[in-house]
Amino acid sequence: MFQLHKPPLSKSPSAPGSALVLLLALATVTSCAPQQNSAPQATTGSAAPTATSAAASPTGSAASGSATPGSTGTAGADELCGPGSAINFDISQFQSSPNVDNKWFPLKPGMQYTTTGDVKSAEGDIKRTVIHSVTGLTKVIDGVKTQVLWDRDYAGDELVESELAFFAQTESGTVWLFGEYPEEYEGGKFTGAPATFIHSLDEAQAGIAMQADPQINTPSYVQAHAASVDFLDCGQVFKQNEHVCVPTGCYDDVLVIDERNPLEPAVGHQRKFYSAGTGLVKVTAVGGDNQETLELAKIEQLTDAKLKEINQEALKLDQHAYQVSKTVYAKTDKAEVATETSVPASSPATGDSPTVQPGY
């Protein structure tokens, strides 16, 4: 579904921007030694179906994990997240048109997900709401056509961040994050987008948002790396077959990813819970100064008219980015409308669709 990278530390966040999303605060990279043992040992949980559980078991089979190195691969690259974590990016492995249907991270145009929770800190608690809209837009980055996700992040009732994030999937099923453009707001006024990063520009590197076949007891992987904005997210499969209940229902066979930011360990360590066929359903904090908890509160399939509105608003954000980020974002191709027809969510193995609430 989506990916979040950092909680807002206040109503005027200044840390690097989101995705999965749960989405998103994440010292310099050169001073960061690989974190070989910083992630807890992975374990396998137990899934105990209940009468209220939603159909969320895995659908189909997944191919191998990350793209293999090719002519554009990065063999011999730094292992930023520990042994076995070198980024192996191969442009030839990506689909010609984005179709992100990884069962743990589906991005179907017209789907909208709302997560709610709070961030606890020394300054007090802040209520948080994030609206994740899967647009019908595509954007070409370094020759790869990516799908555009639009996130709106609220502290209380106040918008603090509006972000575009870009994802593409390899033929084998691994989803990669190609960059983010997170606009920040304070008191309803735009303050900038200092955490912008785009793969291949200013030495930023795409990373794995979700593996095709995530398994416990496997190495950590880089979710994205942008030294210019001190961004480095590391993921590792922590648990499988978990049972989780959130406002949208109960989910079986949940995958748990341990996510950390070695550059800022005090604020960048979370656990993210993914349900097969739905995506991200929960985020919890492992430690740090800001304790964030988010849960999936609403799943919606937008009407075609609403998707058209979402597309237009995301296009406005894309256009504004060319004025704001002239040294990075302005070097990219403009986003384009690929579809204005809302696509039904893919069904879990039972054939039932996720709970959907019309409109928004």
Side-chain angles (χ1 to χ4, degrees):
M1 182 173 65
F2 46 81
Q3 186 172 35
L4 303 181
H5 297 280
K6 53 87 176 90
L9 304 185
S10 68
K11 288 193 176 182
S12 56
S14 58
S18 183
L20 315 94
V21 306
L22 285 153
L23 300 191
L24 136 239
L26 280 177
T28 61
V29 173
T30 56
S31 67
C32 171
Q35 304 293 306
Q36 298 185 17
N37 301 307
S38 57
Q41 183 177 0
T43 61
T44 302
S46 60
T50 67
T52 60
S53 63
S57 55
T59 57
S61 60
S64 60
S66 60
T68 55
S71 59
T72 58
T74 51
D78 292 337
E79 296 180 324
L80 298 171
C81 295
S85 68
I87 299 174
N88 294 317
F89 179 85
D90 185 350
I91 193 173
S92 70
Q93 298 297 311
F94 289 90
Q95 304 165 337
S96 58
S97 293
N99 177 30
V100 182
D101 60 1
N102 181 302
K103 66 185 179 182
W104 305 109
F105 204 94
L107 294 177
K108 299 298 182 183
M111 293 305 297
Q112 185 166 271
Y113 306 85
T114 301
T115 54
T116 60
D118 57 34
V119 179
K120 300 181 185 299
S121 68
E123 290 74 31
D125 296 352
I126 299 175
K127 181 181 178 182
R128 188 178 178 205
T129 300
V130 187
I131 301 174
H132 316 265
S133 303
V134 185
T135 75
L137 306 183
T138 60
K139 187 177 185 71
V140 176
I141 297 176
D142 192 29
V144 177
K145 186 174 287 188
T146 68
Q147 188 165 352
V148 182
L149 182 70
W150 178 33
D151 286 349
R152 286 162 286 172
D153 194 341
Y154 296 85
D157 296 327
E158 180 181 315
L159 178 69
V160 294
E161 186 173 275
S162 180
E163 174 185 279
L164 299 179
F166 311 98
F167 299 90
Q169 185 172 295
T170 65
E171 294 291 352
S172 65
T174 296
V175 182
W176 286 67
L177 171 65
F178 276 71
E180 299 172 347
Y181 172 70
E183 288 196 347
E184 299 175 2
Y185 295 83
E186 184 175 0
K189 295 182 178 180
F190 170 69
T191 60
T196 300
F197 73 91
I198 299 292
H199 167 72
S200 78
L201 298 175
D202 202 14
E203 300 185 350
Q205 298 171 281
I208 296 174
M210 181 58 68
Q211 296 172 313
D213 185 22
Q215 298 291 331
I216 61 172
N217 300 319
T218 54
S220 296
Y221 51 91
V222 176
Q223 296 179 317
H225 177 221
S228 62
V229 295
D230 295 332
F231 186 102
L232 174 61
D233 270 7
C234 301
Q236 185 176 35
V237 179
F238 180 63
K239 288 184 178 181
Q240 293 176 292
N241 301 320
E242 290 293 290
H243 178 77
V244 173
C245 290
V246 294
T248 53
C250 293
Y251 299 86
D252 297 319
D253 210 9
V254 169
L255 170 73
V256 184
I257 301 295
D258 187 90
E259 182 177 294
R260 68 189 190 278
N261 173 20
L263 303 183
E264 296 185 82
V267 297
H269 197 171
Q270 297 177 317
R271 300 255 164 82
K272 296 177 181 176
F273 298 71
Y274 295 86
S275 172
T278 299
L280 189 64
V281 296
K282 186 175 181 178
V283 176
T284 60
V286 176
D289 300 330
N290 298 277
Q291 302 286 321
E292 177 189 46
T293 300
L294 290 169
E295 295 184 340
L296 185 61
K298 185 185 295 184
I299 305 173
E300 307 165 77
Q301 182 181 319
L302 304 180
T303 64
D304 290 350
K306 289 296 184 182
L307 175 58
K308 186 175 182 179
E309 291 181 16
I310 291 294
N311 286 345
Q312 292 305 311
E313 291 301 315
L315 279 175
K316 291 179 183 178
L317 196 58
D318 177 73
Q319 293 166 3
H320 189 223
Y322 285 87
Q323 302 301 316
V324 175
S325 179
K326 294 184 178 181
T327 61
V328 176
Y329 202 94
K331 296 180 180 179
T332 67
D333 293 338
K334 291 186 176 181
E336 298 180 341
V337 177
T339 179
E340 292 184 327
T341 303
S342 187
V343 179
S346 57
S347 301
T350 60
D352 295 328
S353 297
T355 303
V356 172
Q357 302 179 25
Y360 82 102

